[in-house]
Amino acid sequence: MIRSLIRGTGSALPARVMTNAELAAEVETSDEWIVERTGIRQRHIAGEGETTATLAAAAAREALAAAGIAAEDIDLIVLATATPDHTFPSSATQVQALLGCKPGGVAFDVAAVCSGFLYALTTADALLRTGTGTKALVIGAEVFSRLLDWEDRGTCVLFGDGAGAVVLCSEDVAESGPGILASRLHADGAHKDLLFVDGGPGTTGTVGKLRMKGREVFRHAVVNLSEVLNEVLADAGLAAGDLDWIVPHQANARILDATARKLGIAPERVVVTVDRHANTSAASVPLALDAAVRDGRIKPGDLVMLEAMGGGFTWGAALARM
Ligand code: ACO
């Protein structure tokens, strides 16, 4: 059967690290409050010249090197971001040019905020399996620091910048073989006011800042994520106990703990990077995946569940055998 296989992973993080102590010097907060409520200890913040496209291209180069695939062999780029460098052209086409991919391939952005990588992965998987080329780059890249209201302690402590990428290749494999086994996506536009940016790009003529009712988002996140994880497990005919790893969107350590507990997944099976990266929106899942692949936790043959929930609301999960 034709499946999409994760052949390589990569990351890019801005050089500048901002600690909780630095934030506490600017807004009324403390390292203790941030660590206790979120698990976040630091975040990376993009500097001059670092943009969604440059971070995405850097992560993609690492993923291509890990896969042993040349940029000119890439047929498809799907880039998830809520912070494109421009209203248009898409950041995906900028990455295509930065990497030197062959002209004429397919490249586009998807916008699903923190679940963007799940939306991008599921879209790329479907396109590969229906013949839009055989080799894809799937990227999550964000520069949320430029959307934050740095005077709002309820949001500015939570986010960071970065990019993660995977090389996805369609191959003919045995049913017991590797590849994406199942995935599900959802959206519910009724909850816009709980998490949104109060401005552009687009028709408002303003730039806007991120606004969030954190407690409400938290409540929806745990319920939606548990449901979608169970759906994907049921689609694949598997149980939570069969998973080797869960690679969740890194929003808050307490959301990770609560979701894992609800599903009966041991905490040591959950990949956690929120302490180092904070919430990097669409970049968080591929950044966490890459961290666990590179440090040797995730190995070939492992059953890995990816999941995320974000503004919209949007949410989704995908199950892959590595
Ligand atoms: N430092 C110190 N105090 C703070 C801070 C801060 N950075 N932020 C808020 N507070 C205060 C509030 O003002 C409030 O004070 P009050 O009681 O005097 O009014 C108090 O702390 C409690 O505020 P809550 O918002 O109720 O705190 P809560 O325990 O819910 O934690 C948090 C807030 C961390 C935002 C939590 O609700 C959360 O993580 N929600 C999930 C949101 C999220 O992760 N969104 C990311 C995008 S969506 C996604 O990725 C799933």
Side-chain angles (χ1 to χ4, degrees):
M1 63 199 318
I2 301 295
R3 281 214 192 110
S4 307
L5 278 63
I6 295 174
R7 280 291 180 207
T9 65
S11 293
L13 290 160
R16 158 115 168 84
V17 172
M18 184 188 281
T19 62
N20 290 347
E22 280 177 79
L23 266 173
E26 300 297 326
V27 288
E28 204 185 325
T29 189
S30 64
D31 178 54
E32 194 189 7
W33 192 95
I34 301 171
V35 172
E36 191 195 309
R37 301 292 179 113
T38 72
I40 296 165
R41 293 181 183 277
Q42 62 169 49
R43 70 281 299 138
H44 292 253
I45 302 291
E48 210 177 317
E50 284 176 318
T51 71
T52 292
T54 65
L55 290 166
R61 280 188 200 99
E62 268 202 3
L64 287 166
I69 287 173
E72 54 263 34
D73 293 329
I74 290 295
D75 305 303
L76 166 69
I77 300 176
V78 187
L79 190 153
T81 189
T83 51
D85 294 341
H86 305 282
T87 302
F88 71 84
S90 71
S91 300
T93 56
Q94 298 304 289
V95 170
Q96 187 198 36
L98 286 168
L99 294 177
C101 297
K102 66 182 167 218
V106 178
F108 61 95
D109 290 358
V110 299
V113 206
C114 298
S115 13
F117 186 76
L118 270 300
Y119 270 71
L121 187 73
T122 301
T123 304
D125 173 38
L127 286 170
L128 289 183
R129 284 190 291 112
T130 49
T132 304
T134 59
K135 294 178 183 64
L137 270 168
V138 185
I139 308 169
E142 302 279 18
V143 183
F144 256 53
S145 62
R146 293 176 189 146
L147 277 186
L148 297 177
D149 176 350
W150 287 98
E151 289 174 4
D152 174 13
R153 66 177 182 174
T155 54
C156 74
V157 304
L158 301 175
F159 295 91
D161 302 331
V166 304
V167 173
L168 204 61
C169 298
S170 62
E171 291 178 30
D172 200 353
V173 295
E175 194 167 352
S176 59
I180 295 176
L181 307 182
S183 63
R184 288 263 192 143
L185 301 174
H186 294 291
D188 180 357
H191 303 292
K192 180 213 149 201
D193 291 345
L194 300 184
L195 178 55
F196 67 107
V197 172
D198 59 2
T203 53
T204 62
T206 58
V207 175
K209 297 286 178 216
L210 184 146
R211 307 291 173 204
M212 180 175 71
K213 296 195 175 112
R215 190 160 280 199
E216 291 292 299
V217 174
F218 192 110
R219 204 168 49 78
H220 283 276
V222 176
V223 173
N224 290 345
L225 289 171
S226 319
E227 279 177 12
V228 75
L229 287 172
N230 279 324
E231 283 173 7
V232 171
L233 285 168
D235 288 348
L238 294 165
D242 296 320
L243 297 175
D244 293 300
W245 295 101
I246 174 158
V247 182
H249 169 50
Q250 310 283 320
N252 180 310
R254 290 188 297 149
I255 296 180
L256 306 190
D257 292 344
T259 310
R261 223 180 7 255
K262 213 159 187 253
L263 287 161
I265 295 170
E268 56 273 18
R269 294 278 147 211
V270 182
V271 177
V272 179
T273 52
V274 71
D275 53 331
R276 291 175 279 154
H277 301 162
N279 181 347
T280 57
S281 185
S284 92
V285 169
L287 276 169
L289 178 66
D290 183 55
V293 167
R294 279 176 197 270
D295 70 21
R297 275 179 290 170
I298 295 180
K299 297 185 182 62
D302 280 356
L303 204 49
V304 178
M305 180 73 87
L306 313 176
E307 51 96 324
M309 142 108 189
F313 289 134
T314 56
W315 64 104
L319 180 66
R321 191 174 295 285
M322 300 299 284

